[in-house]
Amino acid sequence: MVAAYIMVKANTGEADRLKNTILDIEGVQDAHIVAGDVDLIVKVQVENPAEVKTISADGIQGIQGVEDTQTYISMD
C-alpha cells in the first residue's frame, strides 16, 4: 500500500465544498480543512504510486475551485 498526502489550495470560500467532493474520490481516506499556506490536507491510501498521480492530477486538480496541489508520498 502507498500512503500519500495532498496539500490543496482552494479558491476563497471553496474549502467546505471541495472537502466533500474530494472525500467522494476513490482512494481518498480522509480530508481536513487546515489553517496555513494550504486549505486542505488530503490523505490517500492506494495500491501503487500511479494511483496517487491519478487521484491528484485527474481527480483533485480537475475540480473547479482548486488553485494548486502539492503531493507528498509517505516513505514509511
Side-chain angles (χ1 to χ4, degrees):
M1 292 297 282
V2 175
Y5 298 88
I6 302 170
M7 310 301 140
V8 180
K9 184 146 182 71
N11 291 337
T12 303
E14 295 281 359
D16 287 319
R17 182 186 65 79
L18 289 175
K19 178 183 175 183
N20 293 328
T21 303
I22 289 168
L23 283 169
D24 288 339
I25 297 172
E26 187 176 341
V28 170
Q29 191 170 47
D30 210 353
H32 297 276
I33 296 172
V34 297
D37 293 336
V38 297
D39 300 297
L40 294 108
I41 298 177
V42 178
K43 183 176 182 183
V44 173
Q45 189 85 32
V46 292
E47 291 294 323
N48 59 64
E51 291 179 71
V52 174
K53 179 184 177 281
T54 299
I55 290 170
S56 180
D58 299 338
I60 294 174
Q61 290 178 8
I63 300 170
Q64 185 173 5
V66 172
E67 280 186 28
D68 192 25
T69 64
Q70 295 177 346
T71 302
Y72 301 89
I73 293 179
S74 177
M75 302 301 284
D76 65 355

